[in-house]
Amino acid sequence: MKKLINEPSAVVDEMLDGMVAAHPVRRLDGTNVLVRDDVPVDGKVAVVSGGGSGHEPTHAGYLGEGMLDGAAAGEVFTSPTADQLDEMIQATDAGEGVLCVVKNYEGDVMNFDTAAEMASMEGIDVEQAVVNDDVAVEDSLYTSGRRGVAGTIFVHKCAGAKAAEGADLAEVKEVAEKVIDNVRTMGMALTSCVTPEKGEPTFDLGEDEIELGIGIHGEPGTERADMMSADEITEHLTENVLSDLDLDEGEEVVTLVNGMGGTPLSELYIVNRKLQSILDDRGIETWDAWVGDYMTSLDMMGCSVSVLRVDDELKELLGAPAETPALTVAE
Amino acid sequence: MKKLINEPSAVVDEMLDGMVAAHPVRRLDGTNVLVRDDVPVDGKVAVVSGGGSGHEPTHAGYLGEGMLDGAAAGEVFTSPTADQLDEMIQATDAGEGVLCVVKNYEGDVMNFDTAAEMASMEGIDVEQAVVNDDVAVEDSLYTSGRRGVAGTIFVHKCAGAKAAEGADLAEVKEVAEKVIDNVRTMGMALTSCVTPEKGEPTFDLGEDEIELGIGIHGEPGTERADMMSADEITEHLTENVLSDLDLDEGEEVVTLVNGMGGTPLSELYIVNRKLQSILDDRGIETWDAWVGDYMTSLDMMGCSVSVLRVDDELKELLGAPAETPALTVAE
């Protein structure tokens, strides 16, 4: 499989340098951690995230005003080390404390736990918010409990906006948990993805097969199915998301049709069309609809559907200004 | 090849409905034309564009304040009809005239010419700016003269910003032509793309081969080469772009590493790293670096490199506020 890379082992390093060359972010010396170039930001709680690489623009694409202060990149589909997470926490803390947004995968949870402990011993207030929005599985290959997937972007946005308002650490954490409580996601794949090191698909999938209930690390889904139309796929994903979220008629939501990296944007809009029609039929009001590649699995073809129940507070935070490489919201 | 679609013949129609369901745009009845939902915008020259589908987020992804007023979608890789282009011009004109941004492909040029004539007969001032930034070919399969490709995004941005400032039609056209005079692009493909109707690759390419000098309609490049590293590919593209643009040391540029649709963002950043290092070595100053999927060819893996020479006027216009689905610039 062909890729626009040099050495497979240099992919993360060179990608990070390419981001620094494009955006107002800097790299902490000797690490794979990128931070806003103005950290620590005086008087503000820091919001940081991190995880394996291969999910771009997650995580460093969300560095900037109104979202993240720091983003730690592990190797592809591998958690960053606790040491590097600790360095990120130390570099971003302005004395107001740090909220770590963690996706529920065992490696990430373990390393963020260790890092939080290390930073606490240095006198930094650290809190964590663990995202577990994937309705496809109760326990998975890499988690106990549900996995954290694309709904994490809403957590970055709302916690980042709350911190930008000057809220304290407890308040920022509370908002993050409110988003986590109200967002659900389910994904599917038309194809596997190819990691740079392995150079071949992470699982085999026939020309007439798809995987339902995938995670974001190239693991197969919970169910293999025959190829379906976009409308059927959207119904399946949305049905699972909605039955778990338990929305009442008249409630408002923000939706995300997220591409897995190799899917044309046109196809994501076809999914969005059906998603909005399903919500409409149920009397659920879409306040905003996001469509695009927000959290990917390298070159995988496929998508996930996320639905977030919103109230006035979350709408205000989602609509608040943000200025990052991957997401800008104008005032 | 699997796609997230329903009927191949419904792809454009359903994609457009999916965009309307997500963004503040509306569809002109009975057409494949999307417009800002507030057109015609009083007191402002309208800036419109269009072309084949399959290039998303081009064209409708750039509808909004500070960029486009209208975007016409043809079938995949096929020009919109003159009738629909005429309807777009009529719907967006606020009495100040309309600038059509046209990529140099024979079908587009012919249909925009006809539409401009039709609209002129209705008393609308119409001007055109034909983009021809592709340095790979002098005449191509689908053009006489150079093709218009990803550099078009800079034309949308600058002409849109100039119109938003209240400039008149001649001034908006002048800015568009200034961008066209100062931007060059070259692209390459690791893989072909698969159109919904055909369902198979538009050209064959071996596991160890790449195409250099591709356009954006699934046509092969000007040269087939053995697989190269990302750095070698970037050198080749950049060399061709720079030798045509003839920059002096100390000049400022804005760069665009554009993904063709199926390439992970991480790989585009690896290309950007090398691009910036080449510019740096030559004493050319990058004022801003754009990286992402701005003008695609469905699921093609590959990228293009664009370089735009900028002066104070173009920097101001590129940095001016814009609020569109695919590109937002905060004040």
Side-chain angles (χ1 to χ4, degrees):
Chain A
M1 181 61 86
K2 291 172 283 188
K3 288 184 177 294
L4 278 170
I5 63 174
N6 296 300
E7 291 306 311
S9 60
V11 161
V12 174
D13 178 57
E14 294 183 351
M15 163 188 85
L16 294 173
D17 282 349
M19 297 192 80
V20 170
H23 306 299
V25 299
R26 61 185 167 84
R27 187 167 174 176
L28 299 184
D29 281 350
T31 74
N32 288 343
V33 174
L34 298 189
V35 296
R36 280 173 59 163
D37 59 9
D38 56 352
V39 297
V41 183
D42 268 359
K44 191 182 84 68
V45 168
V47 179
V48 301
S49 189
S53 292
H55 307 303
E56 293 67 32
T58 297
H59 303 80
Y62 301 107
L63 284 172
E65 271 186 60
M67 288 189 82
L68 300 181
D69 296 87
E75 290 304 311
V76 172
F77 298 162
T78 305
S79 176
T81 64
D83 280 347
Q84 296 206 1
L85 294 172
D86 177 40
E87 287 200 52
M88 170 170 71
I89 294 167
Q90 308 246 12
T92 55
D93 179 49
E96 309 291 331
V98 179
L99 178 73
C100 300
V101 180
V102 185
K103 290 183 294 311
N104 190 32
Y105 286 93
E106 276 169 11
D108 288 346
V109 169
M110 190 177 69
N111 290 336
F112 267 105
D113 275 348
T114 306
E117 217 167 294
M118 291 162 77
S120 296
M121 288 191 303
E122 305 280 337
I124 298 175
D125 285 338
V126 185
E127 292 286 349
Q128 297 187 62
V130 180
V131 189
N132 59 353
D133 54 320
D134 188 348
V135 301
V137 285
E138 199 44 58
D139 297 298
S140 83
L141 202 54
Y142 303 119
T143 60
S144 63
R146 288 178 165 178
R147 296 175 293 211
V149 288
T152 307
I153 308 305
F154 293 134
V155 183
H156 293 168
K157 179 70 184 74
C158 292
K162 192 77 183 176
E165 279 179 5
D168 67 23
L169 181 58
E171 293 166 329
V172 174
K173 182 183 181 181
E174 193 181 351
V175 156
E177 295 195 324
K178 181 173 176 178
V179 175
I180 293 168
D181 287 344
N182 287 287
V183 66
R184 302 290 187 281
T185 300
M186 186 167 163
M188 61 77 57
L190 295 172
T191 67
S192 172
C193 58
V194 175
T195 58
E197 288 282 3
K198 201 172 163 205
E200 49 189 62
T202 54
F203 57 85
D204 291 317
L205 198 53
E207 243 324 292
D208 296 318
E209 293 174 322
I210 61 175
E211 287 279 334
L212 298 167
I214 53 151
I216 54 170
H217 296 87
E219 66 268 48
T222 50
E223 189 189 339
R224 183 159 295 195
D226 290 338
M227 184 59 195
M228 295 187 252
S229 70
D231 283 359
E232 289 166 332
I233 287 168
T234 308
E235 269 169 21
H236 184 92
L237 300 180
T238 308
E239 193 56 53
N240 278 277
V241 163
L242 292 181
S243 71
D244 202 273
L245 191 54
D246 206 17
L247 288 162
D248 291 326
E249 207 176 310
E251 284 197 283
E252 285 184 293
V253 298
V254 172
T255 57
L256 167 59
V257 176
N258 173 57
M260 302 309 294
T263 298
L265 186 55
S266 48
E267 299 180 23
L268 302 181
Y269 278 113
I270 291 173
V271 171
N272 184 58
R273 168 184 171 276
K274 182 65 180 176
L275 168 62
Q276 300 310 327
S277 128
I278 295 168
L279 294 171
D280 207 40
D281 286 347
R282 296 185 175 217
I284 295 162
E285 185 100 14
T286 298
W287 183 73
D288 199 9
W290 298 13
V291 180
D293 283 5
Y294 286 84
M295 181 180 289
T296 63
S297 290
L298 295 168
D299 56 345
M300 178 179 277
M301 287 182 154
C303 72
S304 61
V305 168
S306 302
V307 178
L308 169 66
R309 176 193 282 114
V310 293
D311 60 7
D312 288 345
E313 182 188 28
L314 293 188
K315 287 193 285 187
E316 190 202 315
L317 295 169
L318 289 164
E323 198 167 354
T324 76
L327 180 69
T328 297
V329 179
E331 291 204 54
Chain B
M1 181 60 87
K2 291 172 284 187
K3 289 186 176 294
L4 278 171
I5 63 175
N6 297 299
E7 291 306 309
S9 60
V11 161
V12 174
D13 178 56
E14 294 184 352
M15 163 190 85
L16 294 174
D17 282 349
M19 297 193 79
V20 170
H23 306 300
V25 299
R26 62 185 167 85
R27 186 167 173 176
L28 300 183
D29 281 350
T31 74
N32 288 343
V33 174
L34 299 189
V35 296
R36 281 172 59 163
D37 60 8
D38 57 351
V39 296
V41 183
D42 269 0
K44 193 184 82 69
V45 168
V47 179
V48 301
S49 187
S53 292
H55 307 302
E56 292 69 29
T58 298
H59 304 80
Y62 301 107
L63 284 172
E65 273 185 58
M67 289 189 82
L68 300 181
D69 296 87
E75 291 304 309
V76 171
F77 298 162
T78 305
S79 176
T81 64
D83 279 346
Q84 296 206 1
L85 293 172
D86 177 40
E87 287 200 52
M88 171 171 70
I89 293 168
Q90 308 244 11
T92 55
D93 179 49
E96 309 292 331
V98 179
L99 178 73
C100 299
V101 180
V102 186
K103 290 182 295 310
N104 190 32
Y105 286 93
E106 277 169 11
D108 288 347
V109 168
M110 189 176 70
N111 290 336
F112 267 106
D113 275 349
T114 307
E117 218 167 291
M118 291 162 77
S120 296
M121 289 192 303
E122 304 280 336
I124 298 176
D125 286 337
V126 185
E127 292 286 350
Q128 297 187 63
V130 180
V131 189
N132 59 352
D133 53 322
D134 188 347
V135 302
V137 285
E138 199 43 58
D139 298 298
S140 83
L141 201 54
Y142 303 120
T143 60
S144 64
R146 288 178 166 178
R147 298 176 292 210
V149 289
T152 308
I153 308 304
F154 292 135
V155 183
H156 293 168
K157 179 70 185 75
C158 293
K162 192 76 184 178
E165 279 180 6
D168 67 25
L169 182 56
E171 292 166 331
V172 174
K173 183 183 181 183
E174 193 181 351
V175 156
E177 295 195 324
K178 181 172 175 178
V179 175
I180 293 168
D181 287 344
N182 287 287
V183 66
R184 301 290 187 280
T185 299
M186 186 166 165
M188 61 77 57
L190 294 173
T191 67
S192 171
C193 58
V194 175
T195 59
E197 288 283 2
K198 200 172 165 207
E200 49 190 60
T202 55
F203 58 84
D204 291 317
L205 197 54
E207 243 324 293
D208 295 318
E209 294 174 322
I210 60 175
E211 287 279 335
L212 298 167
I214 53 152
I216 55 169
H217 296 89
E219 66 267 47
T222 50
E223 186 188 341
R224 183 157 296 195
D226 291 337
M227 183 60 195
M228 295 187 250
S229 70
D231 282 359
E232 289 166 332
I233 287 168
T234 309
E235 268 169 20
H236 184 91
L237 300 180
T238 308
E239 193 57 53
N240 277 277
V241 163
L242 292 182
S243 71
D244 202 273
L245 192 54
D246 205 18
L247 288 161
D248 291 327
E249 207 176 310
E251 284 198 283
E252 285 184 292
V253 298
V254 172
T255 58
L256 167 59
V257 176
N258 174 57
M260 302 308 294
T263 299
L265 186 54
S266 48
E267 299 179 23
L268 302 181
Y269 279 113
I270 291 173
V271 171
N272 184 58
R273 168 184 171 275
K274 182 65 181 177
L275 168 61
Q276 301 309 327
S277 130
I278 295 169
L279 294 171
D280 207 40
D281 287 347
R282 295 186 176 217
I284 295 162
E285 185 100 15
T286 297
W287 183 72
D288 198 8
W290 298 14
V291 180
D293 282 6
Y294 287 84
M295 181 179 288
T296 62
S297 290
L298 294 168
D299 56 344
M300 179 179 275
M301 286 181 155
C303 72
S304 62
V305 168
S306 302
V307 178
L308 169 67
R309 176 194 281 114
V310 293
D311 59 7
D312 288 345
E313 181 188 29
L314 293 188
K315 288 193 284 185
E316 189 202 316
L317 295 170
L318 289 164
E323 197 167 353
T324 77
L327 178 69
T328 297
V329 179
E331 292 201 52

